[in-house]
Amino acid sequence: MIEALGINHIGIAVASIDQRRQFYEQTLGARFEGIEEVPNQQVRVAFFLVGAPGHEVRLELLEPTARDSPVARFIEKRGEGMHHIAYTVDDLDGRLASLKEAGVELIDDEPRDGAHHTRIAFLHPKSCGGVLTELCEPRQ
Ligand code: ZN
């Protein structure tokens, strides 16, 4: 079982962070947190916080850094928009092992490094009601 401790962030695919930033900051009123490059996913990610203090939700804008990267292919196929939901979990290794055993299709058998000092793993949308699902374990 995933037993999420919360929603860690919502991932949104964009062709250009610079072009989309204005919507999130000026129109939505989200607070810009920073930009990080995640080489193993071939993306540049920008983080924004929405919501009142103590109730913030993080949005992650994903901009592909390579033409043949998964996010670039996603945008090519479906256009910009909702990409994945990430849940905060503990014991990521144990969760992946038990999900695999339960027949859940994993994209990542082993955790990898995510942005914001986390370890992450993706589950296949086929096993998650059509939603690309990320499990996210903050490093202690
Ligand atoms: Zn994510």
Side-chain angles (χ1 to χ4, degrees), residues 40-67:
N40 69 21
Q41 290 176 68
Q42 296 176 293
V43 287
R44 212 162 75 99
V45 295
F47 291 100
F48 295 86
L49 289 177
V50 290
H55 299 278
E56 295 100 340
V57 173
R58 180 172 284 137
L59 304 178
E60 176 187 81
L61 301 194
L62 304 131
E63 174 191 292
T65 54
R67 273 170 183 277

Side-chain angles (χ1 to χ4, degrees), residues 34 75 137:
I75 292 172
E137 179 185 57

Side-chain angles (χ1 to χ4, degrees), residues 8-12 41 45 47 60 62 83-86 120 122 134 136:
N8 190 277
H9 61 268
I10 296 169
I12 299 164
Q41 290 176 68
V45 295
F47 291 100
E60 176 187 81
L62 304 131
H83 184 261
H84 66 270
I85 294 185
I120 64 158
F122 282 96
E134 176 184 346
C136 198

Side-chain angles (χ1 to χ4, degrees), residues 4-113:
L5 303 170
I7 290 186
N8 190 277
H9 61 268
I10 296 169
I12 299 164
V14 299
S16 159
I17 288 170
D18 290 343
Q19 273 177 29
R20 290 291 166 237
R21 227 182 125 154
Q22 193 181 352
F23 167 78
Y24 289 95
E25 284 180 301
Q26 319 277 324
T27 308
L28 188 63
R31 296 186 296 290
F32 175 71
E33 272 196 307
I35 293 184
E36 252 181 80
E37 191 148 342
V38 185
N40 69 21
Q41 290 176 68
Q42 296 176 293
V43 287
R44 212 162 75 99
V45 295
F47 291 100
F48 295 86
L49 289 177
V50 290
H55 299 278
E56 295 100 340
V57 173
R58 180 172 284 137
L59 304 178
E60 176 187 81
L61 301 194
L62 304 131
E63 174 191 292
T65 54
R67 273 170 183 277
D68 58 346
S69 63
V71 174
R73 276 185 269 124
F74 175 93
I75 292 172
E76 211 175 275
K77 244 166 76 180
R78 309 201 214 171
E80 293 179 292
M82 268 288 307
H83 184 261
H84 66 270
I85 294 185
Y87 297 99
T88 305
V89 298
D90 57 8
D91 184 23
L92 181 55
D93 299 271
R95 306 253 172 232
L96 288 177
S98 73
L99 289 168
K100 195 174 182 176
E101 209 173 278
V104 173
E105 197 175 325
L106 310 179
I107 293 174
D108 300 306
D109 283 326
E110 302 286 334
R112 50 181 161 145
D113 290 331

